[in-house]
Amino acid sequence: MTGSRPGREDPPEKNQVDGTPLLSVQRMTVSYDGTPAVSDVSLDVTPGEIVAIVGESGSGKTTVIRAVLGLLPSSGQVSSGDIRYEGRSLLDLDQAQWLDLRRHRMSMVFQDTGAMLNPVRRIGAQFVEYIRTAEPDVTRAQARERAEAMLERMALPDPRRVMDSYAFELSGGMRQRVGIAMAMTFQPALLLADEPTSALDVTMQAQIVRQMLALRRQEGTAIMIVTHNLGVAAHMADTIMVMRAGHVLELGPTDQIIDHPTHEYTASLLASMPSL
Amino acid sequence: MDARWLARRLGQILVVLVGISFITFVLVWLAPGDPAQAMYTSQGITPTPEMVEEMRARLGLDKPFLTQYVTWLGNCLHGNFGTSYSLNKPVTDLMLARLWPTIKLALASLVLMLLVAVPLGMAAAVRQGSVIDHLARGFSFLGVSMPNFWFGLLLIWAVALKLGLLPVVSTGKGLDQLIMPAVTLAFAMIGRYTRQVRTAVLEELNQDYVIGARARGMSERTILWRHVLPNAQLPLLTLLGLSLGSLLGGTAVVEVVFSYPGLGNMAVSAVTSYDYPLVQTYVLWIALIYMVINLLVDISYARLDPRVRRGARS
Ligand SMILES: Nc1ncnc2c1ncn2[C@@H]1O[C@H](COP(=O)(O)OP(=O)(O)O)[C@@H](O)[C@H]1O
Ligand SMILES: [Mg+2]
């Protein structure tokens, strides 16, 4: 429709100028043990664009996002189609290229960052390890400083204490902010987020969403966010992709999807939409 | 996990030790066979009834039960565990002479085992179904199914007799004497622990934090050594404690095969010669090491797992 809905921010200028996709998923099919779980998915993400993937549980959202990061479980495989990122196919990257990509160009925030961190090592140690793996020349002290600065940017009170904590000692909201802080350290061109706010209460959800929007504004980071909260999607995204049973049901500008859903399914999702 | 906790644990150990001392004393008291008689017999003497009576009086065996126990316990607390009936020497000296070789053998075999089992188990887990996994499996099977004494004899035959690399009979003093018994003990444990390490590592590789580490661009080697191993060692700690305990109790069969002067060897002959003071002291030692190791395992868990140390439910 005309005009953006209140609360949603306009994407940064440069997006509207630069139309070449950062990420291009082309007719991708992903199979687990030969059985397709996600079929014929096509999707472009331009620099700085926010794309929300919505759909019921089991519809294939996580599969899409993990395929992009090359982190499907060993039984999973992109069985046809292509994923192109910054102009090259991700399907024929070797291990070293994948490591480089994940260290510098693309990062991921999970639903529960706590579970994605080693339970017996301190947050700080793992943050420093991450920074020094990506940039081996950085000293431990420098890495620590940088990590604390990132945590501070995520509005985490007392970053020192967070660094000295173990994942289980932080609240869900704090853990998610740690996850985003780590994921944003190297200003990747693309941030993948798989239900980053699902485990949080409404206030915390809003805060995390605000922080991701700020990142896009400041760094021009493109974000691909999986959420089953259409409120979050409507608030954040420029583009919404609706999935059901491994297929893309609808894909289009947020306003269009929200105001004129072409599918009954999307309409029913909208009807049960929680407000943010 | 603080000083009070430690004091309570040490107190518990003391109470249990006293309890066990009482039980062993009762059992020995009830057991058939007269130690005074046994003492002469073991020295090749056939005593007259008068000689037996006199010996019984000297050993305090004619006193009431409780008096005997209290006397014995008081002596124990002063480091005097009595005189061995069969060897006619202070039990304390006999135990101490066997203790150091036993500890050496236990630690050597445990370290040797870890040096092989940890890398092998990890390799088998990382490359499931590969040649190395099958080799590890075969090796484990051999280690578990081959009796200790047989492997020991094979080792003596090959290394000492055929190759002449090491002495056949050990004295427990030098490193050469330690090698073969340690290898024999390690061999059996390697089989079990390789499987355990493999299982634990596989379990950890399935955890979400591994995916998290991959997503952060960690190399597989970093993930394995810095993330998976520190977690995988936790379920193995208890097991290691049990192994250490049984090794420190002495390993009779292997000690006999290699004529190694360890505790196991001594315990067996103490039992067969009704050497009650020696048996009692040995039982107390076993109880002590198991409880101390148990305590050490708990302390290690607290040190290695912040969820235990900082009191979270995992
Ligand atoms: N490791 C796996 N092995 C086999 N099937 C899987 C695996 N992971 C997901 N699937 C299947 O793929 C489909 C999509 O799952 P998923 O991508 O997790 O959906 P969503 O994130 O939308 O809930 C589901 O039918 C699920 O059962
Ligand atoms: Mg999912």
Side-chain angles (χ1 to χ4, degrees), chain B residues 35-224:
Chain B
Q37 183 87 38
M39 216 164 157
Y40 283 113
T41 322
S42 72
Q43 287 158 34
I45 301 169
T46 313
T48 61
E50 293 76 37
M51 284 166 78
V52 171
E53 268 321 298
E54 194 201 270
M55 183 56 87
R56 285 181 62 84
R58 225 179 70 204
L59 295 172
L61 295 172
D62 54 347
K63 300 261 168 45
F65 168 77
L66 265 183
T67 316
Q68 283 187 43
Y69 173 68
V70 171
T71 312
W72 175 74
L73 191 63
N75 288 339
C76 288
L77 291 178
H78 290 95
N80 173 9
F81 291 89
T83 304
S84 157
Y85 294 163
S86 60
L87 301 167
N88 222 347
K89 281 184 193 151
V91 168
T92 313
D93 293 356
L94 289 169
M95 286 288 295
L96 284 178
R98 300 292 178 121
L99 217 51
W100 179 231
T102 302
I103 291 171
K104 263 200 315 199
L105 181 57
L107 294 183
S109 58
L110 217 55
V111 167
L112 214 58
M113 176 281 283
L114 288 174
L115 284 178
V116 179
V118 170
L120 196 60
M122 281 170 78
V126 172
R127 291 190 233 290
Q128 254 189 105
S130 69
V131 176
I132 189 125
D133 190 16
H134 289 300
L135 274 180
R137 194 185 305 261
F139 201 60
S140 298
F141 179 72
L142 264 186
V144 171
S145 53
M146 194 188 255
N148 253 339
F149 73 89
W150 189 41
F151 182 80
L153 290 173
L154 278 178
L155 208 60
I156 291 179
W157 175 77
V159 176
L161 296 180
K162 282 285 160 196
L163 301 171
L165 293 175
L166 291 168
V168 177
V169 175
S170 89
T171 63
K173 288 203 183 76
L175 197 61
D176 342 342
Q177 287 89 359
L178 193 61
I179 294 175
M180 283 200 290
V183 167
T184 305
L185 288 171
F187 183 72
M189 289 192 290
I190 285 169
R192 214 155 14 97
Y193 277 91
T194 301
R195 302 308 294 169
Q196 298 283 357
V197 170
R198 181 181 181 276
T199 308
V201 168
L202 276 179
E203 170 81 24
E204 290 302 321
L205 280 172
N206 276 324
Q207 300 295 313
D208 281 344
Y209 69 80
V210 171
I211 295 173
R214 287 196 182 119
R216 294 194 297 277
M218 300 294 136
S219 68
E220 290 301 308
R221 215 174 80 207
T222 303
I223 292 174
L224 199 60

Side-chain angles (χ1 to χ4, degrees), chain A residues 32-33 37-38 55-64 73 75 194-195 226:
Chain A
Y32 292 107
D33 294 318
V38 152
E56 65 198 351
S57 167
S59 57
K61 309 179 297 291
T62 296
T63 301
V64 169
S75 60
D194 192 353
E195 309 203 26
V226 168

Side-chain angles (χ1 to χ4, degrees), chain A residues 95-115:
Chain A
Q95 181 66 9
Q97 289 170 316
W98 267 121
L99 292 184
D100 184 59
L101 193 77
R102 293 181 196 139
R103 285 169 190 173
H104 300 109
R105 306 296 306 151
M106 198 193 269
S107 57
M108 176 123 175
V109 180
F110 295 88
Q111 176 170 353
D112 179 7
T113 298

Side-chain angles (χ1 to χ4, degrees), chain A:
Chain A
M1 275 305 267
T2 47
S4 55
R5 50 199 49 250
R8 202 171 83 244
E9 300 182 21
D10 291 320
E13 274 310 294
K14 62 170 192 175
N15 274 326
Q16 278 137 15
V17 184
D18 184 358
T20 52
L22 173 70
L23 173 74
S24 181
V25 178
Q26 299 168 352
R27 310 208 57 179
M28 175 184 74
T29 295
V30 179
S31 308
Y32 292 107
D33 294 318
T35 316
V38 152
S39 303
D40 207 18
V41 172
S42 295
L43 164 75
D44 282 356
V45 182
T46 55
E49 184 182 7
I50 299 183
V51 177
I53 308 178
V54 299
E56 65 198 351
S57 167
S59 57
K61 309 179 297 291
T62 296
T63 301
V64 169
I65 216 165
R66 293 229 172 151
V68 170
L69 197 60
L71 281 182
L72 290 170
S74 53
S75 60
Q77 203 199 347
V78 176
S79 48
S80 71
D82 198 1
I83 307 171
R84 305 190 71 80
Y85 184 69
E86 295 179 327
R88 61 182 172 173
S89 171
L90 297 184
L91 298 185
D92 37 51
L93 293 191
D94 61 24
Q95 181 66 9
Q97 289 170 316
W98 267 121
L99 292 184
D100 184 59
L101 193 77
R102 293 181 196 139
R103 285 169 190 173
H104 300 109
R105 306 296 306 151
M106 198 193 269
S107 57
M108 176 123 175
V109 180
F110 295 88
Q111 176 170 353
D112 179 7
T113 298
M116 312 316 276
L117 289 167
N118 187 337
V120 304
R121 289 181 70 198
R122 287 170 209 272
I123 305 271
Q126 297 184 72
F127 207 151
V128 166
E129 177 185 49
Y130 171 52
I131 292 174
R132 297 188 72 216
T133 303
E135 293 184 356
D137 296 338
V138 174
T139 67
R140 206 168 285 274
Q142 287 169 333
R144 242 193 118 77
E145 229 166 79
R146 191 154 168 193
E148 281 171 17
M150 285 308 294
L151 293 175
E152 201 144 14
R153 259 184 77 184
M154 287 302 126
L156 275 163
D158 204 351
R160 285 251 160 85
R161 198 181 68 75
V162 172
M163 294 282 281
D164 285 336
S165 301
Y166 294 92
F168 72 87
E169 295 177 308
L170 301 182
S171 71
M174 290 171 91
R175 293 206 286 236
Q176 287 315 86
R177 278 180 286 174
V178 167
I180 297 177
M182 290 178 90
M184 288 311 302
T185 307
F186 296 106
Q187 289 120 35
L190 178 64
L191 178 68
L192 304 166
D194 192 353
E195 309 203 26
T197 65
S198 301
L200 308 178
D201 62 44
V202 178
T203 328
M204 195 48 74
Q205 273 188 21
Q207 204 171 346
I208 298 281
V209 166
R210 236 178 288 128
Q211 274 157 352
M212 283 195 285
L213 284 170
L215 287 172
R216 188 264 290 270
R217 201 169 43 237
Q218 289 157 14
E219 323 273 3
T221 309
I223 301 176
M224 199 161 141
I225 179 174
V226 168
T227 174
H228 53 232
N229 185 332
L230 259 173
V232 168
H235 180 68
M236 279 183 78
D238 309 309
T239 305
I240 292 182
M241 178 163 102
V242 182
M243 291 192 72
R244 187 173 62 175
H247 292 270
V248 177
L249 215 56
E250 291 197 61
L251 172 65
T254 302
D255 292 333
Q256 185 193 314
I257 301 282
I258 304 271
D259 296 334
H260 296 290
T262 52
H263 276 262
E264 194 66 16
Y265 175 69
T266 312
S268 71
L269 278 179
L270 282 168
S272 60
M273 167 173 138
S275 60
L276 183 81

Side-chain angles (χ1 to χ4, degrees), chain B residues 231-313:
Chain B
N231 281 285
Q233 71 181 346
L234 296 174
L236 299 176
L237 266 180
T238 308
L239 222 61
L240 271 178
L242 288 174
S243 293
L244 183 62
S246 83
L247 286 169
L248 286 178
T251 45
V253 174
V254 170
E255 287 170 17
V256 168
V257 169
F258 292 98
S259 321
Y260 190 87
L263 277 173
N265 225 331
M266 185 203 74
V268 170
S269 59
V271 169
T272 49
S273 57
Y274 300 105
D275 195 337
Y276 295 153
L278 207 47
V279 171
Q280 275 168 333
T281 313
Y282 177 75
V283 169
L284 283 180
W285 163 250
I286 297 285
L288 178 70
I289 50 175
Y290 270 101
M291 283 186 298
V292 168
I293 286 171
N294 208 333
L295 179 65
L296 290 179
V297 166
D298 286 352
I299 292 174
S300 313
Y301 270 117
R303 292 199 66 85
L304 296 172
D305 190 342
R307 288 163 296 191
V308 175
R309 175 169 73 250
R310 301 208 186 178
R313 0 205 131 257

